[in-house]
Amino acid sequence: MLDKEIESLIEKELERQNSGIELIASENYPSKEVMKAQGSILTAKYAEGYPGKRYYGGCEIVDQVEGLAISRAKEVFGAEYANVQPHSGSQANFAAYRALLPGGGRILSLDLNDGGHLTHGSPVSFSSHLYSFSHYALGNDGRLAYDSIRKAIDENKPDLLLAGFSAYPFEIDFAKLKEICDEQGAKTGKPLLFMVDMAHIAGLVAAREHMSPLPYADVVTSTTHKTLRGPRGGLILSRRLDLARKLDSAVFPYSQGGPLEHVIAAKAVCFLEAMQPSFREYIKKVKENTLAACLTLKRLGAKTSGTENHLFLLNVLASYRLDGKEAQNLLESIGITTNKNMIHGDSLPPSRCSGLRIGFAAATTRGCTAENAVEIATVIDRALKGGGLAPLKEKVKSIVAGWKDISDL
Ligand SMILES: *Cc1c(COP(=O)(O)O)cnc(C)c1O
């Protein structure tokens, strides 16, 4: 190998990932087959356009690759339309807004600090510069408060209601949100569009372990690399074929050039994997492990959000008198990776936060059992209570020793 530096850094990162417990809720490990497709020669092909309508010659094979990815995406999620070209979840959102709204269009979403995403109207994201955002608040219990969403719609008169979040531990009732949009449409005579960004829960939706937004939303966006276990990338779905042309042109040529056909091939592989019965078993285990860890922490006296999906929030300020950053660093020192996160009604700034976001999608991929999840929660509790770190580090090592190697999934 010519490039020893990068080779060695990749080896070091593999070793880091293999030796620790990954609890960042947005991360996961793809299968060998996904990795192989993503590392393939398809990366060498320019294919601007869409299958059958390319700007370049030589696209017969990549047309079939992208065609398979599209038809599998539609099958997994029950969609009429799929666009597999967005390079990331943020790119998918950029294109979806463009297709649905004029510049300055009004979007009602959940604030980033309450569990939304940067692209849902944060001042530092393109979204707030191109569209006019207002936000709905969560209830005191940290759950969606459907009545206050109704009120926020009345007050802010949005053109589009956006749901789907980055740090929300409960089920989302998409049917109810669609009903609220329809009520508003009937009242004002102007339809209220409904968009869902299911980036975090796509794997749960694919496995029928969360209500699907497809029957209710006008457009659904997603990532493919979180609970879905695919390559890093984005996805747009819809049951509305009348939006197909607008969505397609909002991705290419409006916001992207040549599609990443190697990544699209890897997406096709992950969609096929998500259709296997074993994937549903996997997602069920993710939920069981998340719940087991959350309940254990609660039993030990910690303040948690509770969970109905693949993640929960741990209030480390209330439970251990640490801020999120301190707690994240402490756990990292014993080989457990998490991320600091704002807690509903947080008193600390985003640079510190009062909480940690904890998820079990990645650990479960490596073979984490419910028993391990209880052990991990106990280790977290001891570490944050100020217990001696050396034995806890050893305990982390012994748990991980029973798991699969990441290059072998
Ligand atoms: C992760 C995430 C995204 C963005 O994904 P990127 O691929 O990092 O751009 C968008 N929306 C939500 C809700 C997410 O959680």
Side-chain angles (χ1 to χ4, degrees), residues 41-104:
I41 195 58
L42 296 173
T43 191
K45 187 71 197 102
Y46 241 118
E48 283 178 337
Y50 288 99
K53 296 169 287 198
R54 304 285 191 185
Y55 286 54
Y56 292 90
C59 287
E60 318 76 66
I61 317 277
V62 290
D63 274 5
Q64 293 174 55
V65 169
E66 192 167 336
L68 264 179
I70 290 169
S71 64
R72 287 177 186 170
K74 290 197 281 193
E75 193 181 340
V76 174
F77 293 105
E80 297 295 321
Y81 166 88
N83 190 311
V84 295
Q85 292 193 3
H87 299 336
S88 72
S90 299
Q91 294 286 105
N93 285 344
F94 185 94
Y97 296 154
R98 162 76 184 179
L100 291 171
L101 297 170

Side-chain angles (χ1 to χ4, degrees), residues 295-370:
L295 289 176
T296 302
L297 281 159
K298 199 171 162 201
R299 187 166 47 72
L300 293 168
K303 195 159 175 249
T304 72
S305 60
T307 179
E308 296 168 357
N309 58 21
H310 63 297
L311 69 86
F312 64 89
L313 299 172
L314 174 61
N315 187 332
V316 290
L317 188 66
S319 310
Y320 307 103
R321 284 193 240 134
L322 293 170
D323 70 30
K325 198 171 176 198
E326 291 165 334
Q328 177 189 313
N329 289 341
L330 198 63
L331 294 180
E332 189 152 359
S333 76
I334 57 166
I336 297 179
T337 320
T338 59
N339 65 277
K340 66 176 159 48
N341 210 96
M342 297 294 270
I343 294 277
H344 180 61
D346 211 315
S347 55
L348 296 179
S351 55
R352 292 177 66 201
C353 300
S354 297
L356 289 179
R357 185 182 67 163
I358 294 178
F360 274 79
T364 306
T365 298
R366 291 189 66 189
C368 175
T369 62

Side-chain angles (χ1 to χ4, degrees), residues 137-150:
L138 294 176
N140 289 331
D141 52 2
R143 289 177 182 260
L144 287 173
Y146 294 91
D147 281 337
S148 77
I149 294 177
R150 268 195 197 91

Side-chain angles (χ1 to χ4, degrees), residues 55-352:
Y55 286 54
Y56 292 90
C59 287
E60 318 76 66
I61 317 277
V62 290
D63 274 5
Q64 293 174 55
V65 169
E66 192 167 336
L68 264 179
I70 290 169
S71 64
R72 287 177 186 170
K74 290 197 281 193
E75 193 181 340
V76 174
F77 293 105
E80 297 295 321
Y81 166 88
N83 190 311
V84 295
Q85 292 193 3
H87 299 336
S88 72
S90 299
Q91 294 286 105
N93 285 344
F94 185 94
Y97 296 154
R98 162 76 184 179
L100 291 171
L101 297 170
R106 302 170 73 84
I107 303 177
L108 182 70
S109 67
L110 187 68
D111 196 71
L112 175 65
N113 288 344
D114 271 343
H117 187 258
L118 283 164
T119 56
H120 298 185
S122 160
V124 296
S125 147
F126 76 85
S127 51
S128 65
H129 296 260
L130 301 184
Y131 303 96
S132 167
F133 278 83
S134 46
H135 298 297
Y136 46 89
L138 294 176
N140 289 331
D141 52 2
R143 289 177 182 260
L144 287 173
Y146 294 91
D147 281 337
S148 77
I149 294 177
R150 268 195 197 91
K151 216 188 279 167
I153 290 173
D154 269 336
E155 282 167 15
N156 298 292
K157 312 260 179 308
D159 305 306
L160 184 150
L161 176 68
L162 176 60
F165 318 107
S166 296
Y168 186 71
F170 307 112
E171 280 257 354
I172 307 167
D173 190 344
F174 297 121
K176 183 108 161 214
L177 291 170
K178 167 66 174 162
E179 200 182 293
I180 291 172
C181 290
D182 286 348
E183 274 168 26
Q184 183 68 11
K187 213 156 65 182
T188 61
K190 183 172 153 267
L192 172 54
L193 292 164
F194 181 32
M195 173 174 153
V196 172
D197 174 354
M198 64 169 182
H200 256 266
I201 56 168
L204 282 67
V205 170
R208 312 281 184 270
E209 286 290 317
H210 189 291
M211 180 193 285
S212 170
L214 258 301
Y216 308 107
D218 295 283
V219 170
V220 176
T221 55
S222 185
T223 57
T224 48
H225 51 273
K226 298 180 182 174
T227 50
L228 197 54
R229 281 200 67 203
R232 187 164 296 279
L235 175 68
I236 303 177
L237 301 164
S238 181
R239 68 188 149 78
R240 285 186 53 183
L241 278 175
D242 60 308
L243 292 174
R245 279 177 69 100
K246 274 190 175 163
L247 287 166
D248 277 349
S249 60
V251 176
F252 174 85
Y254 186 74
S255 57
Q256 293 187 174
L260 313 175
E261 292 297 339
H262 56 307
V263 177
I264 289 171
K267 287 174 185 173
V269 175
C270 101
F271 299 144
L272 184 65
E273 290 175 349
M275 283 188 254
Q276 307 305 310
S278 57
F279 187 76
R280 182 161 199 201
E281 291 314 306
Y282 159 68
I283 291 291
K284 280 185 174 174
K285 277 191 207 147
V286 170
K287 289 172 76 177
E288 283 166 19
N289 291 345
T290 309
L291 184 61
C294 184
L295 289 176
T296 302
L297 281 159
K298 199 171 162 201
R299 187 166 47 72
L300 293 168
K303 195 159 175 249
T304 72
S305 60
T307 179
E308 296 168 357
N309 58 21
H310 63 297
L311 69 86
F312 64 89
L313 299 172
L314 174 61
N315 187 332
V316 290
L317 188 66
S319 310
Y320 307 103
R321 284 193 240 134
L322 293 170
D323 70 30
K325 198 171 176 198
E326 291 165 334
Q328 177 189 313
N329 289 341
L330 198 63
L331 294 180
E332 189 152 359
S333 76
I334 57 166
I336 297 179
T337 320
T338 59
N339 65 277
K340 66 176 159 48
N341 210 96
M342 297 294 270
I343 294 277
H344 180 61
D346 211 315
S347 55
L348 296 179
S351 55
R352 292 177 66 201

Side-chain angles (χ1 to χ4, degrees), residues 12-26:
K12 279 188 188 149
E13 174 62 7
L14 176 64
E15 171 54 23
R16 185 195 70 81
Q17 293 191 12
N18 258 329
S19 59
I21 295 178
E22 180 54 71
L23 299 182
I24 293 178
S26 52

